[in-house]
Amino acid sequence: MLTHFRFICVVLAIIAPAAPVRADETAPENFRTPVGDAELRYWLQNMVWYHNFSNAEIADATGLSEAEIQSSLKRLRISAETKPQRRAEAPLLTLPYPGGRHPRIGFLEGAIRPQRDTKISVFTPWDDHSYVVADIPEAIWSNLGLTYLAHTHVPTIWEAQGIELKPLEWNRRKDGTFDMTRKLPNGIAFGAKIMPGRNGVKMELWLENGTKETLSDLRVQNCVMLKAAVGFNEQTNDNKVFSKPFCAARNAAGDRWIITAWDHCHRPWGNTRCPCLHSDPKFPDCAPGEKRMLYGWLSFYEGTEIEAEFERLRKVSWLRMSD
């Protein structure tokens, strides 16, 4: 019972605004300026063609001035009119989230300076302007404390020591997959892989123990934010179903759904204020030199029989990236 009480207290430290870390007014702006034309082209296409950013949002994401943005868009011929048509048989459109626009509607005080390092956008198959933002991972706890957090809120073990983690980006692979790796100052390393398909997105999360002690209580928060998914972003859980390991949100008509799941799920839930979906997993204990894996899934369903869709997904190989 005492262990359960400690678990609830730690979770509430993240989902409730108690004792948050305040934004440092002297900190640099939370943008990343593309270096070179290739990166500039990629991120402008990402923001204009797919995320439909305004010039002000592009400025927030890149630090470029209005004049620089307009000049670059004209020079690189990037506009809504030059957006290419996608093939009907293409995998679900999946892109790194560019930052600049906060991925939440509410509870912004619980996600100050959100970092794009771990955030990926998956667009709905029925509306190419709607998307969810998956934060993989949003947070990792261990017996050491809050070991990683993808924004500023409550202090991590690194912030408590005055250590700042350097920004990272998703590796964009030619086969359409994305992956990232982060090594923490104490030798713990973790990473994620995202593999889009036509029927869903397979996700992989791993952790390797480079310390000299066994890591335990390795709880993970993987967040799917619904702000930009039109029809799914009401600040309520009344439109959600939690059937461990599955979490799903429906539209008002109840005939379209967004579904996510992770193996080793220990807590399916949703934060009404964001709003978001969580199928939060837990790594098994990890001895020095060992590596642990978790496998996840994100998909879209059109229909009214959500429990039948859960059962269908239980029978397919969403648990393995190699399938």
Side-chain angles (χ1 to χ4, degrees):
M1 180 64 70
L2 181 59
T3 300
H4 179 70
F5 176 77
R6 282 198 296 262
F7 164 69
I8 294 296
C9 289
V10 174
V11 169
L12 288 176
I14 287 297
I15 65 173
V21 174
R22 298 298 179 187
D24 183 356
E25 294 182 357
T26 66
E29 295 293 332
N30 192 24
F31 61 74
R32 300 186 187 182
T33 304
V35 177
D37 262 9
E39 283 298 292
L40 179 62
R41 184 190 303 274
Y42 177 84
W43 286 109
L44 288 179
Q45 290 174 347
N46 176 305
M47 289 182 275
V48 173
W49 284 352
Y50 303 109
H51 286 96
N52 295 292
F53 272 24
S54 66
N55 283 0
E57 290 173 320
I58 295 173
D60 287 341
T62 64
L64 298 174
S65 68
E66 177 80 15
E68 289 172 322
I69 293 167
Q70 291 182 350
S71 173
S72 297
L73 291 174
K74 182 178 181 180
R75 179 171 61 84
L76 298 173
R77 295 177 53 80
I78 298 171
S79 67
E81 289 70 32
T82 61
K83 177 182 177 180
Q85 290 289 326
R86 284 179 53 77
R87 295 178 292 107
E89 69 277 12
L92 290 169
L93 177 59
T94 305
L95 294 169
Y97 188 66
R101 174 191 292 164
H102 202 295
R104 294 182 178 183
I105 292 173
F107 192 29
L108 305 188
E109 71 277 15
I112 300 166
R113 294 174 56 78
Q115 301 302 307
R116 74 185 190 192
D117 308 42
T118 56
K119 294 172 180 60
I120 204 90
S121 297
V122 183
F123 289 73
T124 68
W126 48 72
D127 173 9
D128 62 5
H129 293 302
S130 285
Y131 59 91
V132 299
V133 178
D135 213 351
I136 314 296
E138 178 189 5
I140 299 175
W141 288 270
S142 70
N143 56 300
L144 305 177
L146 181 53
T147 306
Y148 178 76
L149 186 62
H151 49 251
T152 300
H153 181 209
V154 293
T156 65
I157 59 176
W158 311 116
E159 289 168 324
Q161 300 174 55
I163 299 173
E164 184 176 350
L165 302 181
K166 69 177 183 179
L168 295 178
E169 299 285 4
W170 289 99
N171 296 309
R172 309 188 297 263
R173 305 302 182 183
K174 291 182 179 179
D175 63 356
T177 65
F178 303 88
D179 61 80
M180 58 80 66
T181 297
R182 180 177 288 282
K183 187 170 184 179
L184 298 171
N186 63 352
I188 297 174
F190 68 88
K193 184 176 182 181
I194 310 294
M195 190 168 73
R198 291 182 62 188
N199 298 315
V201 176
K202 293 181 179 181
M203 301 176 287
E204 181 183 61
L205 189 62
W206 58 266
L207 182 142
E208 189 168 2
N209 185 1
T211 76
K212 296 181 180 180
E213 303 293 336
T214 295
L215 296 172
S216 60
D217 198 25
L218 288 164
R219 289 170 289 112
V220 179
Q221 274 194 191
N222 289 325
C223 184
V224 177
M225 291 170 276
L226 305 172
K227 172 183 176 178
V230 176
F232 298 85
N233 53 12
E234 290 186 66
Q235 290 177 294
T236 179
N237 277 342
D238 292 343
N239 66 342
K240 299 178 180 66
V241 173
F242 304 103
S243 180
K244 189 176 182 179
F246 296 101
C247 302
R250 62 169 171 78
N251 64 352
D255 59 357
R256 286 176 172 170
W257 296 80
I258 297 167
I259 303 170
T260 190
W262 283 85
D263 68 344
H264 296 285
C265 174
H266 74 98
R267 185 176 183 238
W269 63 288
N271 188 324
T272 60
R273 296 170 64 194
C274 291
C276 60
L277 293 171
H278 283 259
S279 174
D280 286 344
K282 189 173 183 178
F283 286 108
D285 291 356
C286 190
E290 291 188 340
K291 185 177 184 178
R292 296 287 183 257
M293 305 291 296
L294 295 169
Y295 299 91
W297 175 259
L298 194 156
S299 62
F300 305 94
Y301 165 64
E302 294 192 71
T304 58
E305 303 297 326
I306 189 61
E307 293 294 341
E309 176 66 2
F310 291 161
E311 286 306 307
R312 186 189 72 81
L313 290 173
R314 291 180 199 277
K315 298 174 184 178
V316 299
S317 299
W318 64 268
L319 288 177
R320 290 294 179 266
M321 293 290 294
S322 58
D323 292 339

